[in-house]
């Protein structure tokens, strides 16, 4: 269903105060009337008014005739924030054509109410206002247009809070996206990629999304496609992962970004906010090449919000060794517990070998077996399990998922082979482990890698491009490391047990100070 309306210039009308917060009341009402099951099925999160204000403030809006797209409009919070922003500026805008997609039929009445307010705002400023509400799936509808032409340059501006939902590899939406050259496993990235294709040259997109697309192999095809056409101009981060959509208990890290199509951007403005989500606590400009390294094949997006991040980025540039240069590799544990359930044992038995889980991490080492553990301590060794086992040697192990309560994103420990006589062991799938092309590590090298990974320097740097609690092997491979000699020297100086203060002091003294002295 398509609803269209045109509102021309007319006599100014007295408007109520706090226009956007009238629509905020509609949003709250709609949110209360929508079940959590429905929100989940649609990947639906309504945009609070303060965040809508923040998005709208990032637009240039410098054209006399503007075409605006709001894909997944909800109750229209983002639309009216943009209209209000245009109206309060002394801009050249003479007319606005707004296109809103909303698949949820129950929200259309709210949208109509919102756009009537938009019309009043525009009338007061002498701006011609035209809107179209399309009650249809944005991707399905837009792909049909794009199949006629790979680029349908329809809009000057796109504002978006796209749905957050995984797309099954065999779903209709996945196949539709592939037909127009888009490969992604999440609906929000699909919305962004389709909207990009609908933007005019030099058009601007402002969106709030999860930060997860900034790194990792999962979103690499999307990053390659999106960043080929779009240049980031602004990125805003929330220091607390709880506050952006706290009503919906969304705990993932979100960002707001502004990007322009086919425009060269020399610097990216990075800003952040804390409890007051629309109040900018800090803002800085970063060279574009520091945000997206042109030589990085993964095209990770590094977000450097403050001086601490700048310090980490600068100091990590002293290291230039990749793991492959060092003859090292990171692999993921091969034992998937639910697939090997019949072979798992709570405690060691005569026919078992140790099975290491994240729960066995303690004070920088592995403590095994763990009494009264919810996880098994052992796995039967037989022809079915041996392909998932590795040699009992020394490794550095990193958790693939750090809990939200943990202070550090990378949690690394040293696995020592001496506590068991078994010649094989198992690492569960929630672990990554460092090895030397299939062989274990010597003691000093293992200790050096352990100290480096657990340093505040690496943890801070890692957070510049990793916005979630998952630590992929690809992420660990993307980091530059000291040389083997430097790592072994660092390891020789490492005592156990060791505190965080000693780890950071060793990295500063044995790595950074020596690097700086050579300059």
């Amino acid at each position: 269903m398509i609803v269209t309306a045109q509102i021309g210039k007319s006599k100014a009308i007295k408007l109520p105060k706090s226009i956007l917060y009238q629509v905020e009341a509609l949003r709250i009402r709609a949110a209360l009337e929508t079940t959590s099951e429905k929100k989940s099925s649609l990947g639906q999160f309504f945009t609070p008014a303060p965040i809508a204000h923040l998005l709208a403030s990032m637009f240039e809006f410098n054209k006399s005739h503007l075409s605006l797209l709001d894909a997944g409009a909800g109750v229209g919070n983002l639309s009216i924030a943009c209209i209000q922003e245009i109206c309060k500026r002394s801009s050249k805008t003479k007319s606005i054509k707004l296109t809103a997609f909303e698949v949820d039929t129950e929200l259309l009445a709210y949208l109509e109410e919102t756009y009537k307010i938009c019309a009043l705002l525009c009338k007061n400023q002498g701006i011609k206002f035209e809107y179209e509400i399309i009650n249809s799936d944005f991707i399905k509808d837009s792909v049909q247009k794009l199949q006629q032409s790979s680029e349908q340059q329809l809009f000057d501006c796109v504002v978006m809070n796209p749905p957050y939902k995984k797309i099954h590899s065999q779903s209709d939406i996945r196949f539709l996206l592939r037909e127009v050259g888009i490969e992604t496993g999440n609906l929000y990235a699909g919305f962004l990629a389709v909207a990009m294709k609908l933007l005019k040259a030099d058009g601007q997109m402002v969106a709030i999304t999860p930060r997860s697309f900034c790194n990792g192999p999962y979103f690499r095809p999307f990053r390659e496609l999106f960043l080929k056409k779009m240049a980031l101009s602004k990125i805003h981060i929330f220091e607390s992962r709880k506050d952006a959509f706290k009503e919906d208990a969304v705990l993932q890290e979100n960002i707001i970004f502004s990007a322009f199509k086919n425009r060269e951007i020399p610097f990216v403005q990075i800003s952040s906010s804390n409890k007051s989500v629309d109040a900018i606590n800090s803002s800085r400009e970063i060279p574009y090449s520091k945000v997206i390294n042109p030589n990085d094949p993964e095209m990770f997006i590094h977000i450097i919000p403050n001086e601490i991040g700048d310090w980490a980025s600068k100091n990590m540039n002293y290291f230039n060794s990749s793991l492959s240069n060092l003859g090292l590799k990171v692999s993921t544990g091969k034992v998937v517990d639910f697939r090997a359930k019949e072979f798992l044992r709570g405690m060691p038995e005569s026919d078992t070998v140790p099975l290491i889980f994240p729960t066995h991490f303690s004070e920088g080492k592995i403590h095994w077996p763990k009494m009264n553990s919810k996880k098994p301590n052992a796995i039967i060794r037989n022809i079915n399990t041996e392909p998932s086992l590795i040699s009992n040697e020394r490794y550095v192990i990193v958790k693939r998922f750090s809990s939200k309560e943990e202070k550090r994103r990378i949690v690394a420990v040293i696995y020592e082979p001496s506590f068991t006589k078994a010649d094989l062991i198992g690492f569960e799938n929630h672990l990554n482990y460092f090895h030397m092309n299939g062989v274990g590590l010597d003691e000093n090298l293992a200790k050096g890698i352990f100290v480096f990974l657990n340093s505040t320097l690496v943890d801070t740097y890692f957070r510049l491009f990793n916005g979630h609690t998952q630590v992929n092997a690809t992420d660990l491979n993307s980091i530059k490391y000291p040389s083997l000699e430097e790592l072994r020297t660092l390891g020789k100086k490492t005592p156990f047990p060791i505190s965080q203060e000693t780890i950071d002091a060793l990295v500063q003294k044995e790595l950074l100070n020596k690097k700086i002295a050579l300059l």
Side-chain angles (χ1 to χ4, degrees), residues 160-423:
M160 215 190 307
N161 173 10
Y164 312 161
K165 185 181 178 183
K166 288 186 177 181
I167 309 172
H168 192 276
S169 60
Q170 300 301 310
S171 67
D172 292 341
I173 291 293
R174 194 71 173 263
F175 287 123
L176 276 173
L177 290 171
R178 285 171 181 158
E179 287 180 15
V180 291
I182 299 170
E183 185 60 57
T184 182
N186 199 294
L187 201 54
Y188 84 82
F191 265 62
L192 294 176
V194 169
M196 172 196 73
K197 290 177 176 288
L198 299 176
L199 261 181
K200 296 177 182 178
D202 203 41
Q204 185 180 8
M205 177 188 297
V206 179
I208 180 167
T209 74
R211 187 177 167 178
S212 52
F213 76 91
C214 292
N215 72 295
Y218 187 72
F219 285 99
R220 180 179 175 179
F222 167 74
R223 287 195 301 274
E224 289 178 341
L225 174 70
F226 192 77
L227 296 175
K228 185 178 180 180
K229 294 276 188 179
M230 303 295 292
L232 298 170
S233 63
K234 297 178 182 179
I235 300 174
H236 183 84
I237 63 172
F238 301 94
E239 293 178 11
S240 170
R241 69 171 65 223
K242 297 179 181 179
D243 291 327
F245 293 99
K246 59 185 177 183
E247 294 170 13
D248 293 299
V250 176
L251 294 179
Q252 64 191 345
E253 290 192 46
N254 292 282
I255 63 171
I256 299 171
F257 70 85
S258 162
F260 287 88
K261 189 171 183 178
N262 301 333
R263 182 190 288 193
E264 288 191 12
I265 304 288
F267 292 91
V268 182
Q269 181 181 315
I270 310 289
S271 60
S272 66
S273 60
N274 200 339
K275 289 292 182 182
S276 181
V277 294
D278 59 340
I280 295 177
N281 295 343
S282 66
S283 180
R284 56 196 286 115
E285 285 194 339
I286 306 294
Y288 199 88
S289 59
K290 281 193 173 183
V291 178
I292 303 169
N293 186 337
N295 298 317
D296 178 11
E298 298 294 332
M299 302 186 75
F300 282 4
I301 298 170
H302 298 247
I303 302 175
I304 307 171
N306 49 38
E307 291 183 3
I308 295 174
D310 197 36
W311 165 83
S313 180
K314 178 181 177 181
N315 282 287
M316 286 297 288
N317 283 333
Y318 291 132
F319 310 116
N320 53 24
S321 297
S322 66
L323 288 181
S324 59
N325 294 151
L326 300 174
L328 296 170
K329 288 186 177 179
V330 180
S331 298
T332 301
K334 299 177 182 179
V335 178
V336 181
D337 57 354
F338 68 87
R339 292 177 183 164
K341 193 172 182 179
E342 62 182 301
F343 304 114
L344 305 183
R345 297 294 181 267
M347 295 299 290
E349 299 174 7
S350 60
D351 58 348
T352 67
V353 299
L355 177 59
I356 308 303
F357 281 82
T359 190
H360 294 112
F361 282 39
S362 180
E363 298 177 350
K365 291 187 177 182
I366 294 296
H367 286 250
W368 180 95
K370 185 176 181 180
M371 302 298 178
N372 302 317
S373 174
K374 293 180 180 179
K375 296 293 184 180
N377 283 288
I379 183 170
I380 292 175
R381 176 180 179 175
N382 58 29
I383 59 172
N384 296 298
T385 61
E386 282 192 357
S388 300
L389 306 178
I390 60 174
S391 299
N392 181 31
E393 301 180 57
R394 183 182 294 106
Y395 304 97
V396 173
I397 319 174
V398 177
K399 290 184 181 181
R400 284 185 57 211
F401 297 89
S402 57
S403 69
K404 296 179 179 66
E405 293 75 26
E406 284 178 307
K407 294 180 179 179
R408 312 196 76 78
R409 190 64 51 84
I410 297 180
V411 181
V413 302
I414 297 175
Y415 170 86
E416 292 287 355
S418 56
F419 68 79
T420 179
K421 295 180 180 179
D423 60 338

Side-chain angles (χ1 to χ4, degrees), residues 311 315 503-514 516:
W311 165 83
N315 282 287
I503 287 174
D504 291 333
L506 280 169
V507 168
Q508 185 68 47
K509 179 181 178 181
E510 298 299 328
L511 294 177
L512 297 181
N513 289 351
K514 291 180 179 180
I516 294 169

Side-chain angles (χ1 to χ4, degrees), residues 53-68:
H53 268 303
L54 194 54
L55 268 77
S57 70
M58 291 189 179
F59 278 104
E60 285 187 352
F61 294 138
N62 58 2
K63 296 182 180 180
S64 58
H65 302 283
L66 281 171
S67 52
L68 173 65

Side-chain angles (χ1 to χ4, degrees), residues 73-115:
V75 300
N77 269 38
L78 289 176
S79 298
I80 197 169
C82 289
I83 299 300
Q84 192 173 38
E85 185 71 21
I86 294 168
C87 290
K88 80 177 184 180
R89 297 182 187 182
S90 56
S91 65
K92 301 176 182 178
T93 306
K94 303 300 180 186
S95 69
I96 301 170
K97 181 177 180 180
L98 170 62
T99 302
F101 277 84
E102 179 49 59
V103 71
D104 187 350
T105 305
E106 294 179 9
L107 297 180
L108 299 185
Y110 293 110
L111 266 182
E112 283 286 355
E113 200 167 337
T114 298
Y115 290 162

